[in-house]
Amino acid sequence: MCGIVGFVGNVKAKEVIVHGLKKLEYRGYDSAGIALNIDNDIKVYKAKGKMENLEGVLEGKELDSNIGIGHTRWATHGEPSDVNAHPHSSESGDIVIVHNGIIENYLDIKKGLKAKKIVSETDTEIVAHKLNENYNGDLLDTLKRTIDEVRGTYALVVMHKEVKDEIVLAKKGSPIIIGTSEEGNIIASDIPAVLKYTNKIYILEDGEYARVTKDEVQIFDKKLKLIKRDYIEVDMDEKTAEKDGFDHFMIKEIHEQAKVIEKIVNTKKLEKVKTNIKRYNKIYFVACGTAHYAGLIGKSILDRNTNAAVFAEVASEFRYNEPKIDRKTLLVVTSQSGETADTLAAVRMAKEKGARVLSFINVVGSTIARESDEVIYTMAGPEIAVASTKAYTSQVMTMILTFSKMFGKAVDVVNESKELMMKFDNVLDIEGYVKQLSNKYKDVDRAFFLGRGMDYNLAKEAALKLKEVTYLSSEAYPAGELKHGPIALIDDNTLVVGIMTDERLYEKTISNLKEVKARGAKVLAIINDRNDLVLDVADDVIYIPKSQGEFNAVLANVPSQLFAYHMAVAKELDVDMPRNLAKSVTVE
Ligand code: M6R
């Protein structure tokens, strides 16, 4: 949450920072701002709303500076506004900072401040004043002494007007990397911000500090002892983070899924899995949002193949449900970003109690990836749209392949995966039809997604996708449960989508669809079979190719992704950056 970019180098800082912030806008878009050191004077520009507003403020300004910091915000403390936008300055304007995270004791620090003028409602501004009070001519030492007084999470990046050749930073709990290039050194919350210039990246760990000049990146431990660290070269380039002719990242990412599956199958069939699943008698799948729904599919595979007790919980609740964790417990974590705060907290708790952590992560080198006992990378490539699509597919696919290896069924699964790749293209062929349906149903008041068994898990992901990009009230229910209350909401402007991939359950789900149809609902069926009963009840039917077991979760999810996308387009909403959301949720 929140995107940070800092630059010091040989080219105009404004260009590098604005470019980077646009790449990080998926992390939050409540406001944006930039601070540049111009001839020992710090100039700050901010704007509420998306980056285009900040670009409007900067337009026509000749800002000649090679050093600066910038921020795109997802509001926590204080409403989205110009004044609450980062960068925040000390009263004198000498020090300017950007921050991602939450300073928990900011009210205590505020009480002791000498500064008279506190202009924003943010926790971050308090730190700017504190830094100014602690300033002793050595910016890094000042940052360390200030951090010693702070409790909370932070990626904190600091500039001083008299120190016009260096930026200092500290990290705990929020990600920050430094890309090193010929043009200079770029600090950023995530890799896409630096890919235009470099793929050589330093990753900072919790408790570490860095001093960045145009020629050097120095990393220090928590006592400010210099650490020797090499950069890593990431296997990504700028193009992988571009729209590539598509109107939005979301639809580009939906279309990329066949390639992602191919890459996963070709790579994972050769990779060894170290975790011996037979050693565990309790297995918890823990994650948030879409990643949790992918975890539900993982759970269903293990339910069928192990004697262990298998649970799946959302990470934000897991710690409070008093899970019984010991050395015979395996925690299976799914996360696109590898930075989700609740998921990370669950990992740390489980490890402390002796569990093994096996994680399925997309972002290489992310915190959860680094802290897991074993990480399986899900290889989806950068996912920019806030609504997750290809990351879900990649998580389900890597779990299918990984678990099948554990159970000695890898060969069958690889063959089935190859068929899946072909079927996947057929599913994408229905896009035109799904678009028509989206236009037909765009004005419904609410939507329900119904399913039984694994189809209920698919319904959860489908309902989340639709609500996050269209703002429609959209809920998933086990098909048989609707009549125990929610059926009261059904009227003739309600859309009910029935998901049916398990022929053993068709008839029962179709009966439930009849119940809502009788009460006026419009019924859309997603099914992997030609079936007369469904034609009798559904206003519209989307057919998908039939597949084996959990592979259905990969195929049957695509129509729901396309439906959510085209509904949002039909409603003229901002598909890639839906209101109130951020891609990477790094606060609990
Ligand atoms: O980065 P993660 O996979 O850990 O993120 C988890 C959720 O925040 C994420 O899946 C969220 O639900 C998406 N916006 C859903 O599209």
Side-chain angles (χ1 to χ4, degrees):
M1 265 164 173
C2 300
I4 287 176
V5 182
F7 175 75
V8 47
N10 315 310
V11 296
K12 281 197 174 175
K14 176 186 135 188
E15 317 295 330
V16 181
I17 295 169
V18 167
H19 172 83
L21 290 178
K22 281 161 83 176
K23 297 287 176 195
L24 296 187
E25 214 176 358
Y26 69 85
R27 301 179 67 87
Y29 29 85
D30 287 333
S31 62
I34 182 169
L36 299 163
N37 189 329
I38 304 176
D39 300 328
N40 287 9
D41 189 19
I42 289 179
K43 298 268 185 231
V44 181
Y45 303 92
K46 305 179 183 191
K48 180 180 166 185
K50 295 189 175 145
M51 272 302 291
E52 61 198 34
N53 297 352
L54 179 65
E55 286 184 284
V57 170
L58 295 174
E59 202 176 304
K61 292 198 168 57
E62 194 46 55
L63 298 170
D64 201 7
S65 167
N66 293 350
I67 177 166
I69 57 179
H71 189 270
T72 170
R73 176 170 187 246
W74 188 83
T76 57
H77 293 55
E79 61 173 9
S81 66
D82 285 2
V83 78
N84 286 333
H86 297 217
H88 287 286
S89 311
S90 60
E91 207 170 12
S92 60
D94 291 359
I95 283 193
V96 67
I97 69 175
V98 289
H99 167 223
N100 172 21
I102 290 181
I103 306 300
E104 286 163 9
N105 61 339
Y106 79 106
L107 289 174
D108 290 343
I109 298 175
K110 189 176 174 184
K111 279 186 209 145
L113 282 181
K114 294 190 192 101
K116 300 267 173 306
K117 220 173 79 199
I118 293 168
V119 295
S120 78
E121 301 152 79
T122 65
D123 49 340
T124 307
E125 185 192 346
I126 302 305
V127 180
H129 296 301
K130 193 73 204 166
L131 280 159
N132 196 45
E133 283 182 19
N134 287 345
Y135 186 61
N136 62 3
D138 179 337
L139 197 54
L140 185 63
D141 183 67
T142 302
L143 175 59
K144 150 100 178 70
R145 287 186 302 107
T146 307
I147 287 292
D148 287 345
E149 298 178 53
V150 156
R151 204 176 61 242
T153 55
Y154 44 81
L156 195 64
V157 181
V158 184
M159 263 190 348
H160 192 290
K161 75 172 189 184
E162 283 158 9
V163 192
K164 65 174 196 171
D165 53 359
E166 83 178 36
I167 299 175
V168 297
L169 53 143
K171 175 200 180 313
K172 187 181 153 216
S174 301
I176 198 92
I177 56 124
I178 304 160
T180 184
S181 74
E182 298 207 331
E183 288 83 356
N185 290 317
I186 314 162
I187 298 153
S189 299
D190 197 2
I191 296 168
V194 309
L195 286 176
K196 179 174 174 191
Y197 302 94
T198 184
N199 66 347
K200 298 187 175 105
I201 313 285
Y202 294 94
I203 297 175
L204 243 63
E205 303 283 352
D206 276 358
E208 291 181 347
Y209 295 83
R211 176 191 280 132
V212 181
T213 64
K214 79 181 170 55
D215 303 313
E216 206 176 8
V217 174
Q218 291 177 302
I219 298 176
F220 301 87
D221 72 5
K222 58 177 191 278
K223 293 188 172 148
L224 286 195
K225 193 163 152 265
L226 194 63
I227 300 173
K228 187 167 164 25
R229 161 114 15 110
D230 285 335
Y231 58 73
I232 56 163
E233 289 191 47
V234 292
D235 180 22
M236 281 189 214
D237 58 32
E238 170 90 331
K239 210 171 160 312
T240 49
E242 296 280 328
K243 280 191 207 140
D244 241 355
F246 286 95
D247 289 341
H248 301 97
F249 281 111
M250 183 175 173
I251 191 68
K252 178 200 171 210
E253 288 160 6
I254 291 172
H255 279 265
E256 275 172 356
Q257 295 179 107
K259 283 233 150 46
V260 170
I261 295 174
E262 189 176 353
K263 196 168 167 193
I264 290 171
V265 174
N266 290 337
T267 318
K268 299 294 164 195
K269 66 179 180 200
L270 306 170
E271 266 180 27
K272 284 223 157 21
V273 183
K274 288 186 237 123
T275 301
N276 177 0
I277 202 136
K278 296 195 184 105
R279 288 187 47 191
Y280 303 96
N281 58 19
K282 242 175 289 138
I283 302 172
Y284 287 97
F285 283 81
V286 176
C288 297
T290 290
H292 167 60
Y293 298 143
L296 293 177
I297 309 298
K299 170 178 159 31
S300 99
I301 304 176
L302 295 196
D303 274 336
R304 278 190 295 101
N305 288 287
T306 66
N307 292 325
V310 190
F311 309 91
E313 295 192 18
V314 288
S316 53
E317 288 297 310
F318 176 66
R319 281 173 297 155
Y320 311 111
N321 290 344
E322 299 185 14
K324 308 284 175 289
I325 298 173
D326 57 28
R327 300 186 74 76
K328 298 201 106 193
T329 306
L330 178 68
L331 192 80
V332 183
V333 167
T334 37
S335 175
Q336 189 285 128
S337 62
E339 302 291 349
T340 301
D342 284 310
T343 311
L344 177 59
V347 166
R348 288 179 176 161
M349 184 189 89
K351 282 193 77 173
E352 217 176 270
K353 295 188 170 194
R356 178 177 176 85
V357 176
L358 167 65
S359 64
F360 292 85
I361 307 285
N362 192 34
V363 176
V364 176
S366 54
T367 310
I368 300 176
R370 294 199 306 276
E371 295 196 12
S372 301
D373 295 296
E374 179 169 10
V375 55
I376 311 278
Y377 283 114
T378 54
M379 307 179 77
E383 190 181 64
I384 307 293
V386 167
S388 185
T389 54
K390 63 176 180 169
Y392 170 91
T393 296
S394 70
Q395 285 159 356
V396 174
M397 276 308 294
T398 44
M399 281 191 282
I400 293 177
L401 281 159
T402 304
F403 296 146
S404 69
K405 268 194 251 172
M406 289 176 174
F407 305 124
K409 296 181 183 164
V411 180
D412 303 348
V413 167
V414 167
N415 291 338
E416 186 62 32
S417 306
K418 286 183 185 148
E419 273 191 42
L420 181 83
M421 287 180 230
M422 290 181 308
K423 290 177 188 164
F424 208 93
D425 287 333
N426 296 341
V427 186
L428 286 172
D429 285 347
I430 59 168
E431 183 171 0
Y433 174 55
V434 176
K435 187 173 171 184
Q436 277 173 28
L437 295 178
S438 310
N439 286 316
K440 176 173 172 185
Y441 292 120
K442 75 177 171 39
D443 295 320
V444 295
D445 289 337
R446 67 191 69 79
F448 285 101
F449 289 79
L450 306 185
R452 284 171 180 261
M454 195 182 70
D455 291 334
Y456 172 46
N457 296 333
L458 294 178
K460 290 182 192 169
E461 170 57 8
L464 173 65
K465 212 74 335 166
L466 187 67
K467 76 164 66 115
E468 69 182 326
V469 295
T470 65
Y471 317 146
L472 261 183
S473 161
S474 147
E475 299 304 330
Y477 271 93
E481 185 65 15
L482 208 70
K483 55 176 134 347
H484 297 284
I487 202 163
L489 296 175
I490 301 289
D491 62 14
D492 56 6
N493 214 17
T494 302
L495 172 66
V496 178
V497 183
I499 303 181
M500 288 163 278
T501 66
D502 184 343
E503 59 189 296
R504 293 169 308 162
L505 303 171
Y506 285 171
E507 282 185 14
K508 283 194 190 303
T509 303
I510 289 171
S511 297
N512 300 132
L513 293 175
K514 287 206 163 144
E515 291 156 8
V516 297
K517 181 79 182 166
R519 286 156 180 86
K522 300 177 168 58
V523 173
L524 169 63
I526 300 176
I527 190 163
N528 56 2
D529 227 338
R530 305 268 150 188
N531 180 298
D532 289 343
L533 286 175
V534 89
L535 288 175
D536 192 34
V537 66
D539 296 284
D540 295 283
V541 183
I542 299 175
Y543 291 105
I544 47 160
K546 222 180 174 113
S547 207
Q548 297 285 323
E550 281 74 20
F551 283 108
N552 282 307
V554 176
L555 288 177
N557 191 39
V558 181
S560 310
Q561 295 174 340
L562 289 169
F563 187 64
Y565 170 76
H566 284 292
M567 283 275 266
V569 172
K571 288 164 120 8
E572 297 180 12
L573 295 171
D574 189 337
V575 179
D576 285 336
M577 289 186 265
R579 72 181 178 205
N580 302 340
L581 294 177
K583 181 81 183 155
S584 182
V585 183
T586 52
V587 290
E588 289 181 29

